[in-house]
Amino acid sequence: FPGGMGGFGGMNMNNIMKQAKKMQEEMQKSQEELSSKEFDSTAGGGAISVKVTGEKVLKEIKIKVREELEIVQFYLFLQKERYQDKLTYEINIEDEQIKENMIPRLLIEPLVENAVSHGLEPKKESGIIKVCMYEENFIEENDEIKKQKKNSKILHIIVEDNGVGIDYEKMNEKPKEEAPQPEKIDHTHTGFENTRKMLQILYGENYKFNIWSEKGKGTKIEIILPAERGECHVESSGGR
């Protein structure tokens, strides 16, 4: 995808508003489903029983990568219209077949939104957001995803920005007894924890969620998941 208007340059305002409303409805639906799932996972059966008895819910929560990228690209288009030259972006997918992979609904968009709101918006200079996805043959040493078959693939999802970075000391502070002052970093922390919780519910220990950040230089988030197309894990056909 280009780092500008993408496929939305020819849209009129009515179509833009329709797409924005659709994206808002998708976000609300995803949040409601996840909240319900979190509630069920605290019951006696736990997350495993939810996976067994709630297959329909899981199918609705997961969408194809190409659908998620449409939401991401549209969000970035709107932000590009807002910030103009202050914002550029790149979306790089190593293989077109990755777009058919299944991932949790709105897994990437909130990370991109966070990069814009908490990474680039506070920055005086212009900035860039990069979204990258690629597959890799499963490596047995990856403890968190060891349960996957040796001939399967894993999917890497990377969201990176060169914004103001994260203050890890502040993010890792434990809440004090007195009412804390709301700060942007708190929202960032909450967003990351919600994403981590969703991944844990859906994948158990078969995922990784890594954050690298340096204050004043930017943030890089990498999510590693089993590569799935439909109901099947993607099998490898050679080395990466």
Side-chain angles (χ1 to χ4, degrees), residues 196-209:
R196 194 188 304 275
K197 184 183 294 184
M198 176 179 68
L199 292 172
Q200 187 172 22
I201 289 172
L202 293 175
Y203 297 98
E205 297 299 317
N206 301 331
Y207 78 93
K208 283 188 177 181
F209 185 78

Side-chain angles (χ1 to χ4, degrees), residues 16 21 28 33 35 44 46 52 57 82 84 102 108 115 128 133 137 142 153 161 169 192 196 198 206 229 240:
I16 288 176
K21 183 178 179 180
Q28 184 177 357
E33 288 173 341
S35 297
V52 172
V57 175
R82 176 183 177 186
Q84 298 294 320
M102 303 297 291
I108 304 173
I128 184 170
M133 301 181 70
N137 292 342
N142 287 346
K153 287 189 175 183
D161 68 77
E169 291 183 3
F192 290 160
R196 194 188 304 275
M198 176 179 68
N206 301 331
R229 294 199 185 112
R240 165 177 165 77

Side-chain angles (χ1 to χ4, degrees), residues 7-61:
F8 302 100
M11 278 188 171
N12 60 36
M13 188 53 63
N14 286 334
N15 287 335
I16 288 176
M17 295 307 297
K18 287 179 181 178
Q19 289 292 335
K21 183 178 179 180
K22 180 181 178 182
M23 185 169 71
Q24 186 178 21
E25 290 173 351
E26 291 285 331
M27 293 179 70
Q28 184 177 357
K29 180 179 180 181
S30 178
Q31 290 168 353
E32 289 173 353
E33 288 173 341
L34 181 57
S35 297
S36 173
K37 189 172 181 58
E38 288 173 349
F39 174 80
D40 289 342
S41 69
T42 61
I48 294 178
S49 66
V50 174
K51 288 183 179 180
V52 172
T53 60
E55 291 180 1
K56 184 176 184 295
V57 175
L58 284 173
K59 288 179 181 178
E60 292 176 353
I61 288 176

Side-chain angles (χ1 to χ4, degrees), residues 179-194:
Q181 295 296 318
E183 297 182 28
K184 282 189 175 181
I185 195 68
D186 296 328
H187 298 298
T188 302
H189 188 200
T190 301
F192 290 160
E193 286 305 307
N194 287 341

Side-chain angles (χ1 to χ4, degrees), residues 12-225:
N12 60 36
M13 188 53 63
N14 286 334
N15 287 335
I16 288 176
M17 295 307 297
K18 287 179 181 178
Q19 289 292 335
K21 183 178 179 180
K22 180 181 178 182
M23 185 169 71
Q24 186 178 21
E25 290 173 351
E26 291 285 331
M27 293 179 70
Q28 184 177 357
K29 180 179 180 181
S30 178
Q31 290 168 353
E32 289 173 353
E33 288 173 341
L34 181 57
S35 297
S36 173
K37 189 172 181 58
E38 288 173 349
F39 174 80
D40 289 342
S41 69
T42 61
I48 294 178
S49 66
V50 174
K51 288 183 179 180
V52 172
T53 60
E55 291 180 1
K56 184 176 184 295
V57 175
L58 284 173
K59 288 179 181 178
E60 292 176 353
I61 288 176
K62 289 185 180 181
I63 62 174
K64 289 187 177 182
V65 165
R66 60 177 171 80
E67 296 176 283
E68 177 76 2
L69 289 179
E70 288 175 0
I71 298 172
V72 170
Q73 190 185 13
F74 181 67
Y75 171 78
L76 286 170
F77 164 71
L78 293 179
Q79 298 309 307
K80 179 68 176 177
E81 288 289 282
R82 176 183 177 186
Y83 292 106
Q84 298 294 320
D85 293 339
K86 186 178 179 181
L87 169 65
T88 56
Y89 63 88
E90 298 176 2
I91 301 178
N92 298 308
I93 312 299
E94 181 188 59
D95 189 327
E96 284 293 312
Q97 291 187 350
I98 292 175
K99 293 181 181 179
E100 300 304 312
N101 283 16
M102 303 297 291
I103 60 173
R105 181 192 303 269
L106 292 172
L107 174 64
I108 304 173
E109 192 277 341
L111 301 180
V112 172
E113 184 176 346
N114 182 80
V116 173
S117 301
H118 305 301
L120 299 187
E121 186 175 329
K123 184 177 179 178
K124 293 181 180 180
E125 303 84 4
S126 61
I128 184 170
I129 292 176
K130 297 180 181 180
V131 179
C132 173
M133 301 181 70
Y134 67 90
E135 288 180 342
E136 183 180 31
N137 292 342
F138 170 69
I139 301 174
E140 191 170 357
E141 284 74 18
N142 287 346
D143 294 335
E144 288 82 353
I145 49 178
K146 190 173 286 186
K147 294 180 181 179
Q148 295 304 309
K149 296 178 181 179
K150 290 183 179 179
N151 65 340
S152 63
K153 287 189 175 183
I154 52 178
L155 176 65
H156 293 253
I157 302 170
I158 299 170
V159 177
E160 186 174 7
D161 68 77
N162 64 344
V164 298
I166 296 173
D167 188 336
Y168 270 109
E169 291 183 3
K170 183 175 290 186
M171 192 174 91
N172 292 325
E173 281 180 356
K174 293 183 178 180
K176 298 179 180 179
E177 294 297 326
E178 60 270 17
Q181 295 296 318
E183 297 182 28
K184 282 189 175 181
I185 195 68
D186 296 328
H187 298 298
T188 302
H189 188 200
T190 301
F192 290 160
E193 286 305 307
N194 287 341
T195 298
R196 194 188 304 275
K197 184 183 294 184
M198 176 179 68
L199 292 172
Q200 187 172 22
I201 289 172
L202 293 175
Y203 297 98
E205 297 299 317
N206 301 331
Y207 78 93
K208 283 188 177 181
F209 185 78
N210 300 321
I211 303 173
W212 298 272
S213 187
E214 186 173 351
K215 200 170 181 182
K217 292 191 175 181
T219 301
K220 177 180 178 180
I221 299 171
E222 181 180 39
I223 296 174
I224 306 176
L225 303 172

